[in-house]
């Protein structure tokens, strides 16, 4: 299948980067289509750790074209630093392309993200404070400034001045803190523009031509379906469309050009930020999962909330993204427990349901209905195929398939590129 989408099917941090990196060995291009440097992928290659935020995971495969699509919001200072740190480790940037239609994150977006979060007080969303939401707000408000604007210094300067004038009013008059000097931003950003110039292109055209020629293209989701602006647990979501539908808008590839869509999940559930989480474990089991899985944010370092696998939530993801299969990561992390629980339904006021509610007030009232499984050994390193996995883990995975109404296509059994079992 030439065009494949890889998305997160829970609340993010499912280990998509590793799966994209594995599949990228056959890919001609890897494409990011949404989000910004709120995302973080950690890859372990030959024992070396790489934390990527904006640049697609395919960059570690020489020869693979890596595209940052138009749906991504880009902090140019950040991407220049990411490029430099990869170059310092010997990674080539020759194949990095950045969409000329992508929107820029400015310092006022980052400050406003923080000020808005502080203003929300106990109702804060728990954003990464990278300016993602305010940058997408400007995009829909139609005052956003794009990568292509950097190639025209005069109009770029005019646009920045107009935005800074308005943002300063908000920052100074509403929030009472110091605003920005437009000229300083303009000078810095035009320098970033020069630096990024060799990478900026009409990536929609390049991808369209590649898809027409039947090339293998991988679309790498950031965040996840449950953080999607429409399908996520609104308002505790990000401001873009990480769901599969976001691929078309965020990269310029039409729906008829997409062949397959895999959702990545962990063998348990985590989330950062706020919002109801029915299978959350606020006990020593949750702490043990966090420590075993080192469940701390790649981007913010925040401890992730941990809980049992929620099949109701993943079944919802399977449906709204029309997933053709799921990848279950971190089966090793869940090893060593005597018993493992799987949430197969919710109960509210004596009623059992497998429907995932829109209302967060309803979701907060849902009590998980669990099935219990025997645990398995944490060391799965000798396993090469599904049948090699401990029987209790096989039973657990088969029940996940049944309750989520999809098939398991891969199982992650460790952090490395080689620690993966292909199932179908
Ligand atoms: P924002 O994307 O920074 O606006 O944050 C909105 C919500 O999405 C918060 O709950 C964040 O913690 C969450 N979020 C954003 N990016 C990621 C990610 O890559 N993994 C997990 N959660 C994320």
């Amino acid at each position: 299948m030439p065009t494949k989408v890889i998305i997160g099917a829970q609340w993010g941090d499912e280990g998509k980067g590793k799966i994209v990196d594995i599949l990228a060995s056959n890919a001609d291009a890897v494409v990011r289509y949404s989000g910004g440097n709120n995302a973080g992928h950690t890859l372990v290659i030959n024992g070396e750790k790489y934390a990527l935020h904006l640049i697609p995971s395919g960059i570690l495969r020489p020869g693979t074209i890596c595209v940052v699509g138009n749906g991504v919001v880009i902090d140019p200072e950040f991407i220049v630093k990411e490029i430099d740190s990869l170059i310092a480790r010997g990674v080539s940037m020759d194949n990095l392309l950045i969409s000329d239609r992508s929107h820029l994150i400015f310092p006022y977006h980052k400050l406003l993200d923080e000020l808005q979060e502080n203003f929300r007080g106990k109702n804060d969303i728990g954003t990464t404070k990278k300016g993602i939401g305010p940058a997408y707000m400007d995009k829909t408000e139609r005052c956003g400034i794009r990568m292509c604007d950097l190639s025209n210094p005069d109009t770029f300067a005019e646009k920045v001045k107009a935005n800074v004038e308005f943002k300063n009013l908000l920052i100074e008059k509403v929030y009472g803190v110091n605003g920005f000097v437009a000229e300083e931003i303009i000078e810095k950003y035009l320098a970033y523009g020069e630096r990024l110039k060799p990478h900026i292109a009409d990536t929609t055209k390049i991808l369209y031509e590649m898809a027409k020629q039947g090339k293998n293209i991988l679309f790498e989701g950031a965040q996840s379906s449950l953080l999607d602006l429409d399908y996520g647990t609104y308002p505790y979501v990000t401001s873009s469309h990480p769901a599969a539908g976001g691929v078309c808008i965020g990269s310029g590839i039409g729906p008829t050009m997409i062949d397959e869509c895999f959702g990545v999940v962990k063998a348990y559930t985590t989330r950062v930020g706020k919002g109801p989480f029915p299978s959350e474990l606020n006990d020593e089991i949750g702490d043990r999962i966090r420590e075993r899985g080192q469940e701390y944010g790649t981007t913010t370092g925040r401890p992730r909330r941990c809980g049992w696998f929620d099949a109701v939530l993943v079944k919802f993801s399977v449906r709204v993204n029309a997933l053709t299969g799921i990848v279950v990561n971190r089966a090793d992390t869940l090893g060593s427990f005597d018993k493992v629980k799987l949430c197969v339904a919710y109960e509210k006021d004596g009623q059992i349901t497998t429907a995932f509610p829109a209302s967060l007030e309803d979701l907060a009232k849902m009590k998980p209905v669990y099935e219990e499984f025997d645990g398995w050994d944490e060391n799965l390193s000798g396993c090469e195929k599904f049948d090699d996995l401990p029987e209790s883990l096989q039973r657990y995975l088969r029940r996940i398939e049944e309750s989520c109404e999809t098939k398991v296509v891969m199982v992650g059994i460790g952090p490395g590129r080689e620690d993966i079992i292909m199932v179908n």
Side-chain angles (χ1 to χ4, degrees):
M1 288 288 192
T3 52
K4 201 175 260 151
V5 176
I6 309 293
I7 63 157
Q10 294 165 316
W11 273 302
D13 312 309
E14 298 92 348
K16 298 174 284 291
K18 173 184 151 177
I19 303 306
V20 171
D21 174 61
I22 290 167
L23 296 173
S25 64
N26 304 317
D28 298 297
V30 180
V31 186
R32 266 286 300 273
Y33 59 89
S34 73
N37 59 316
N38 48 350
H41 292 149
T42 308
L43 300 177
V44 181
I45 293 161
N46 301 329
E48 268 201 70
K49 251 191 189 184
Y50 293 84
L52 299 173
H53 295 274
L54 263 172
I55 297 179
S57 311
I59 203 74
L60 301 170
R61 299 273 184 187
T64 307
I65 291 176
C66 286
V67 175
V68 183
N70 54 279
V72 179
V73 285
I74 300 177
D75 179 342
E77 181 176 0
F78 189 94
I79 201 167
V80 165
K81 276 196 191 137
E82 191 163 326
I83 289 172
D84 286 343
S85 73
L86 287 167
I87 290 175
R89 295 177 74 179
V91 180
S92 165
M93 289 297 131
D94 292 354
N95 291 321
L96 177 66
L97 295 172
I98 301 172
S99 169
D100 51 4
R101 288 177 168 80
S102 58
H103 280 245
L104 296 168
I105 297 179
F106 283 88
Y108 47 80
H109 291 134
K110 289 187 263 188
L111 180 62
L112 283 167
D113 199 353
E114 195 175 332
L115 294 170
Q116 283 164 355
E117 276 288 84
N118 293 343
F119 181 78
R120 289 179 191 120
K122 68 176 178 40
N123 295 323
D124 67 331
I125 293 166
T127 75
T128 58
K129 300 190 179 157
K130 304 286 179 195
I132 308 295
Y136 280 114
M137 281 164 71
D138 278 4
K139 179 174 177 173
T140 50
E141 212 270 330
R142 289 149 297 174
C143 67
I145 302 177
R146 300 183 295 166
M147 224 18 117
C148 56
D149 294 319
L150 287 169
S151 61
N152 195 334
D154 293 340
T155 50
F156 176 76
E158 270 172 39
K159 289 178 186 184
V160 174
K161 280 181 193 157
N163 276 4
V164 168
E165 191 185 348
F166 178 72
K167 302 295 178 191
N168 277 353
L169 280 177
L170 195 60
I171 290 167
E172 288 166 3
K173 305 267 188 249
V174 175
Y175 292 107
V177 300
N178 289 337
F180 292 92
V181 178
E183 286 70 21
E184 285 174 13
I185 297 178
I186 294 164
E187 195 189 325
K188 264 172 93 177
Y189 272 58
L190 287 175
Y192 297 136
E194 278 306 308
R195 199 51 226 290
L196 296 173
K197 206 181 219 166
H199 304 287
I200 300 172
D202 181 352
T203 52
T204 61
K205 185 163 184 294
I206 295 164
L207 289 173
Y208 180 73
E209 296 300 341
M210 287 183 83
K212 266 205 334 191
Q213 289 162 20
K215 300 269 189 201
N216 290 317
I217 306 177
L218 262 188
F219 295 92
E220 168 180 331
Q223 289 84 46
S224 69
S225 191
L226 268 297
L227 289 173
D228 184 275
L229 198 49
D230 276 68
Y231 302 122
T233 41
Y234 190 90
Y236 299 106
V237 293
T238 193
S239 305
S240 65
H241 292 291
V247 169
C248 297
I249 292 297
S251 71
I253 287 285
T256 53
M257 284 180 147
I258 293 172
D259 298 309
E260 263 198 294
C261 184
F262 290 168
V264 184
V265 295
K266 280 192 265 215
Y268 46 93
T269 312
T270 65
R271 81 164 299 173
V272 281
K274 297 177 76 177
F277 178 170
S279 65
E280 182 167 17
L281 290 163
N282 285 311
D283 58 13
E284 69 280 5
I285 299 178
D287 293 344
R288 200 163 139 204
I289 295 176
R290 184 176 310 104
E291 287 318 308
R292 283 186 52 79
Q294 278 305 293
E295 293 292 356
Y296 295 90
T298 320
T299 305
T300 59
R302 287 181 288 180
R304 295 180 185 139
R305 299 159 65 192
C306 298
W308 296 120
F309 187 96
D310 183 342
V312 179
L313 174 157
V314 175
K315 189 175 102 167
F316 174 69
S317 278
V318 168
R319 175 164 63 78
V320 294
N321 296 290
L323 296 182
T324 48
I326 56 170
V327 177
V328 181
N329 261 331
R330 297 275 196 168
D332 54 320
T333 306
L334 206 56
S336 91
F337 286 86
D338 284 346
K339 296 282 175 194
V340 168
K341 289 184 182 176
L342 177 64
C343 166
V344 292
Y346 295 152
E347 187 245 296
K348 190 184 139 213
D349 303 328
Q351 301 279 322
I352 304 289
T353 178
T354 58
F356 192 74
S359 150
L360 286 207
E361 289 69 36
D362 285 346
L363 185 63
K365 288 180 198 143
M366 295 296 176
K367 296 200 177 58
V369 176
Y370 288 123
E371 284 179 12
E372 199 172 71
F373 293 77
D374 288 335
W376 51 86
D377 199 284
E378 64 200 272
N379 184 4
L380 302 172
S381 56
C383 303
E384 286 176 7
K385 49 188 194 311
F386 189 83
D387 291 344
D388 297 339
L389 293 172
E391 265 180 36
S392 47
L393 174 55
Q394 290 189 30
R395 272 197 296 278
Y396 180 69
L397 293 169
R398 290 299 178 216
R399 186 67 180 112
I400 285 180
E401 285 187 321
E402 215 173 60
S403 45
C404 298
E405 297 177 9
T406 189
K407 61 186 187 206
V408 172
V409 289
M410 293 183 220
V411 184
I413 56 167
R417 255 180 190 167
E418 58 294 341
D419 299 324
I420 196 89
I421 288 181
M422 301 290 178
V423 184
N424 287 297

